[in-house]
Amino acid sequence: MDMKSLYLTVPLAPLAGAVLAGLFCRVVPRWFAAGVTILGVAISLVASLLVLQDVLAGHTFNGNLYTWATSADITFNVGFQIDALSAMMMCVVTSVSLLVHIYTIGYMSEDDGFNRFFSFISLFTFSMLMLVMSNNFLQLFFGWEAVGLVSYLLIGFWYTRPTAIFANLKAFLVNRVGDFGFILGIGLVLAYFGTLDYKTVFDAAPALANKTINLWGSAEWSLMTVTCICLFIGAMGKSAQVPLHVWLPDSMEGPTPISALIHAATMVTAGIFMVARCSPMFNLSPTALSFVLIIGATTALFMGFLGMIQNDIKRIVAYSTLSQLGYMTVALGVAAYPIAIFHLMTHAFFKALLFLGAGSVIIGMHHDQDIRNMGGLWKYMPITWITTLIGSLSLIAFPFFSGFYSKDSIIEAVHFSSLTGSGYALFAVTASVFVTAFYTFRSYFIVFHGPERWNDPAHVAAAAHAHDGHAHDDHGHDDHGHDDHAHDDAHHHGLQPGDNPHESPWVVTFPLIMLAIPSVLIGYYAIDPMLYGSFFDGVIAVNKGLPVMAAMEEEFHGPLGMAIHSIQTLPFWLMMAAIAVTYYFYMIKPSVPAALAKKFHGIYTLMDNKYYFDAFNMAVFAGGARKIGGFLNRFGEATLIDGFFVNGSAKLVGVVAGIVRHFQTGYLYQYAFTMIIGVFALLTLWFFTT
């Protein structure tokens, strides 16, 4: 097989599985739908590994497969750009997707939409692969929208539930805001560069570095700044940055496997990948980089705060995703693009591990997601316990774990940055180390250690009362666990008194073990070639005016030395302090958090209401949209279209008909009289005009 055929195999294999499982989902057995989609993704993974091997040998590819359309002298192509960045993304996407597919066999075993779900996640994988393999902005946008489309199908997978409908609508609307900015950015690229081809645009970018455009008034704006900010607004939607982050926690409404896929390796990483790919353009605009930096720092810190008060196990991991995406964005903002991609890669494995571990806990707890109903699970679910602990240590950047190498590198990169906003960003990412360790180990201690709360009669009664009173309402304050797996309110939530949790089946635990391995090892072995080696040479543009990477390389003394040195740094001790505080709060003195929440009621209420972003969006954007829609419905449709044009036209015809019918009597003498009058009028007109 030649390399071009191998490139085609990567996206087409999951697509074939999705088509076979989807078109015949009502007639094929479950084993066929699972088997054909898993086979497709497995083939894609093997092909991706072969492509990566070929790229490491020094071979790259940039070419068009076919021409989609031609307009004047502009050609719209579908093609691939295969280099170190795309090959690495292909391997991450397919490996995590394969493990999610296997995990889904156990997690969705009782679900009526089993075949449909497998079709969707395979289609999701195909869309993401088309995005990362693209060699032009048109194909990037196609993959961008396709992965969004399938995500909406998956977030609202249980489409009969009002909460799923709401979450789906929210994700759709918020992403449309980001996509509007993204398409404006692509439009500016096409208008001023005359092409959408990556290489052509990036080669021409330096010549347009000082180009200005007039948007309104007499003010002149930098073309590169406006274009890059518009493109980044698209990334703010897909990669959930403040204030376009509000859809991501609600995406938990879908099944846990898709939560892992969306959050870990696919959709939310699209924005990070796009900015890194467009590094030759962003390097030309310090203003755009500062904008990216401040947005990322704000997201990293303030979304982490919200994770500290969540009680839904999946939503804790979701807010963790928001915070970690903020870290990646901060790395992009200081022009340390390789570090952003490095953290994207390590994050994909440990975040998928944490999501799938949360799903395993949910299965063991009979689909209860409220961490307040758990405790002491380490005795009953040893594999889930150990693997979740590994994922947690990687997330908090504990030395020698994968997350440490990428996250600590981001903090160090910000330290060396001199861009506007870097001081604020350094404070935010450093403080977020404490916050991350706090919410991570709060969840870990409550879930796996302490008393077995499901056997506490008082707690069971309180939980039953909460369930009866709130009936799956997890859109208020995220205080009550809801059934992620069931389909109706009659389904049992949680363990009955006397029941005990159970370890998940092997199709669930096997992916956990496989994800735990790179969560420990991949950072140690990948940091040198990816950040300080030649892995991204010629792929990601180094900003010579912002020598962050060069300064970091001087300070780097190998992964072992980096880990040992970290023990002397502030982030390490902030992390250890957070673990100690969390242990005291939730294992020794559990009354303290409640007392603090009561004492600082205003702050707690602010965080419990997610800084009122949802309320603002509902009142301003959603409310405004409804009012505009109502006005257009009443005036535009009812009054103008139906009233004036449709009914008015009918009335006009009726009036004219009423007049004309007086002349259409059917009597011959009347027609003769009319002809005489007409002839007289014509002769009179002729007489006066000659």
Side-chain angles (χ1 to χ4, degrees):
M1 181 183 290
D2 65 318
M3 291 307 300
K4 188 177 286 189
S5 300
L6 194 64
Y7 301 150
L8 284 168
T9 302
V10 175
L12 293 183
L15 178 62
V19 170
L20 290 172
L23 291 181
F24 307 102
C25 65
R26 297 182 182 274
V27 294
V28 299
R30 292 187 171 210
W31 66 263
F32 178 84
V36 73
T37 52
I38 290 173
L39 177 63
V41 177
I43 292 172
S44 183
L45 172 59
V46 172
S48 297
L49 291 171
L50 292 174
V51 169
L52 178 62
Q53 184 182 36
D54 188 61
V55 169
L56 292 175
H59 304 126
T60 60
F61 176 81
N62 184 8
N64 298 321
L65 301 179
Y66 69 90
T67 299
W68 179 65
T70 301
S71 178
D73 57 344
I74 300 172
T75 303
F76 302 99
N77 298 306
V78 174
F80 291 154
Q81 180 165 328
I82 307 299
D83 50 30
L85 178 59
S86 56
M88 187 276 295
M89 290 293 298
M90 288 155 59
C91 291
V92 170
V93 170
T94 52
S95 59
V96 173
S97 179
L98 177 61
L99 294 172
V100 168
H101 274 70
I102 296 171
Y103 179 96
T104 299
I105 297 173
Y107 195 87
M108 300 292 288
S109 60
E110 301 174 2
D111 198 285
D112 294 335
F114 185 92
N115 292 359
R116 178 166 57 94
F117 188 81
F118 269 96
S119 175
F120 285 173
I121 58 177
S122 259
L123 188 60
F124 195 95
T125 306
F126 159 76
S127 302
M128 190 64 193
L129 289 169
M130 290 298 293
L131 188 157
V132 300
M133 296 173 70
S134 65
N135 72 341
N136 62 82
F137 285 97
L138 175 69
Q139 190 175 327
L140 174 71
F141 188 75
F142 158 73
W144 192 274
E145 293 303 304
V147 77
L149 171 64
V150 186
S151 74
Y152 309 139
L153 296 174
L154 287 162
I155 293 169
F157 184 76
W158 292 314
Y159 52 83
T160 58
R161 286 164 40 177
T163 50
I165 297 169
F166 179 84
N168 206 9
L169 182 63
K170 192 174 184 179
F172 177 81
L173 291 176
V174 173
N175 273 277
R176 295 290 70 74
V177 177
D179 289 353
F180 180 71
F182 189 52
I183 197 74
L184 284 178
I186 293 176
L188 286 170
V189 169
L190 182 60
Y192 287 92
F193 291 86
T195 180
L196 293 177
D197 180 75
Y198 287 156
K199 188 177 186 308
T200 307
V201 171
F202 299 156
D203 289 343
L208 295 175
N210 298 319
K211 173 76 176 174
T212 60
I213 57 176
N214 183 264
L215 299 179
W216 60 81
S218 58
E220 294 290 324
W221 298 74
S222 166
L223 168 66
M224 210 59 63
T225 297
V226 174
T227 303
C228 289
I229 289 178
C230 284
L231 291 173
F232 179 68
I233 290 172
M236 289 169 64
K238 279 290 182 290
S239 294
Q241 298 295 289
V242 172
L244 302 182
H245 68 282
V246 294
W247 69 271
L248 193 59
D250 289 84
S251 69
M252 299 298 95
E253 194 60 38
T256 295
I258 193 53
S259 302
L261 206 52
I262 287 177
H263 286 247
T266 53
M267 184 176 173
V268 296
T269 63
I272 307 299
F273 166 82
M274 182 272 294
V275 176
R277 177 63 84 191
C278 296
S279 56
M281 298 174 66
F282 279 84
N283 283 337
L284 300 172
S285 176
T287 304
L289 288 175
S290 289
F291 180 79
V292 173
L293 178 62
I294 293 169
I295 292 292
T298 304
T299 305
L301 181 60
F302 288 92
M303 293 302 105
F305 283 145
L306 298 186
M308 298 170 68
I309 66 167
Q310 304 300 315
N311 293 309
D312 184 306
I313 189 171
K314 284 175 57 179
R315 286 182 177 258
I316 296 170
V317 189
Y319 279 103
S320 165
T321 301
L322 285 170
S323 182
Q324 298 309 304
L325 286 167
Y327 271 94
M328 299 176 206
T329 304
V330 165
L332 296 173
V334 296
Y337 310 104
I339 303 179
I341 298 300
F342 183 43
H343 193 51
L344 183 158
M345 181 189 69
T346 61
H347 175 267
F349 294 109
F350 67 72
K351 186 53 58 70
L353 172 59
L354 288 171
F355 265 117
L356 299 187
S360 181
V361 169
I362 294 168
I363 295 173
M365 290 297 298
H366 289 198
H367 316 302
D368 188 353
Q369 296 180 198
D370 195 330
I371 62 174
R372 295 170 298 182
N373 300 336
M374 303 175 189
L377 295 189
W378 71 273
K379 294 180 291 186
Y380 304 97
M381 308 179 70
I383 298 176
T384 302
W385 163 52
I386 291 294
T387 53
T388 300
L389 177 59
I390 290 172
S392 299
L393 290 171
S394 192
L395 171 62
I396 69 171
F398 197 84
F400 293 104
F401 288 80
S402 290
F404 159 75
Y405 292 102
S406 54
K407 195 172 181 178
D408 207 63
S409 296
I410 293 173
I411 298 172
E412 192 172 356
V414 179
H415 174 74
F416 285 115
S417 175
S418 57
L419 275 173
T420 302
S422 56
Y424 165 70
L426 182 61
F427 165 77
V429 295
T430 305
S432 189
V433 172
F434 181 93
V435 175
T436 302
F438 185 95
Y439 66 66
T440 302
F441 272 83
R442 169 181 176 266
S443 175
Y444 169 77
F445 286 137
I446 293 175
V447 171
F448 292 103
H449 299 279
E452 299 173 358
R453 299 174 187 85
W454 68 87
N455 279 323
D456 182 355
H459 189 87
V460 170
H465 175 73
H467 175 251
D468 292 339
H470 295 272
H472 301 281
D473 179 16
D474 68 85
H475 282 289
H477 306 301
D478 305 327
D479 284 338
H480 302 279
H482 67 286
D483 187 2
D484 170 78
H485 201 62
H487 303 282
D488 55 70
D489 292 338
H491 190 95
H492 167 59
H493 290 252
L495 298 166
Q496 297 283 9
D499 290 345
N500 287 320
H502 56 85
E503 185 61 275
S504 300
W506 74 267
V507 289
V508 172
T509 56
F510 173 75
L512 297 181
I513 296 169
M514 296 305 295
L515 286 166
I517 297 171
S519 297
V520 177
L521 299 177
I522 199 168
Y524 185 94
Y525 291 102
I527 183 171
D528 196 0
M530 289 188 70
L531 301 194
Y532 310 113
S534 57
F535 188 80
F536 288 124
D537 283 359
V539 180
I540 294 176
V542 177
N543 193 324
K544 302 256 194 288
L546 302 169
V548 171
M549 295 303 298
M552 290 184 62
E553 188 173 4
E554 290 180 9
E555 297 290 326
F556 182 70
H557 301 291
L560 179 61
M562 181 179 176
I564 295 173
H565 173 72
S566 70
I567 300 173
Q568 309 171 33
T569 62
L570 177 61
F572 176 81
W573 291 107
L574 284 173
M575 175 185 61
M576 297 304 294
I579 295 173
V581 169
T582 308
Y583 186 82
Y584 178 78
F585 278 9
Y586 297 98
M587 293 291 101
I588 299 175
K589 205 77 172 175
S591 60
V592 173
L596 288 173
K598 188 175 181 179
K599 182 173 180 146
F600 299 99
H601 178 71
I603 297 175
Y604 182 84
T605 302
L606 178 67
M607 294 168 63
D608 195 35
N609 286 279
K610 308 165 208 168
Y611 309 121
Y612 294 97
F613 272 109
D614 282 339
F616 178 81
N617 287 329
M618 291 297 293
V620 178
F621 293 112
R626 282 199 302 269
K627 288 181 179 178
I628 293 172
F631 171 77
L632 292 175
N633 179 58
R634 290 190 304 272
F635 176 77
E637 185 173 356
T639 304
L640 188 62
I641 297 174
D642 289 343
F644 180 77
F645 287 107
V646 178
N647 296 334
S649 299
K651 288 180 181 178
L652 179 62
V653 171
V655 171
V656 173
I659 297 172
V660 171
R661 69 184 180 88
H662 292 293
F663 299 95
Q664 297 287 340
T665 61
Y667 293 111
L668 185 60
Y669 68 84
Q670 188 170 21
Y671 295 150
F673 184 69
T674 304
M675 289 177 63
I676 293 171
I677 294 176
V679 171
F680 177 76
L682 288 173
L683 289 172
T684 303
L685 180 65
W686 174 80
F687 178 79
F688 283 104
T689 55
T690 56

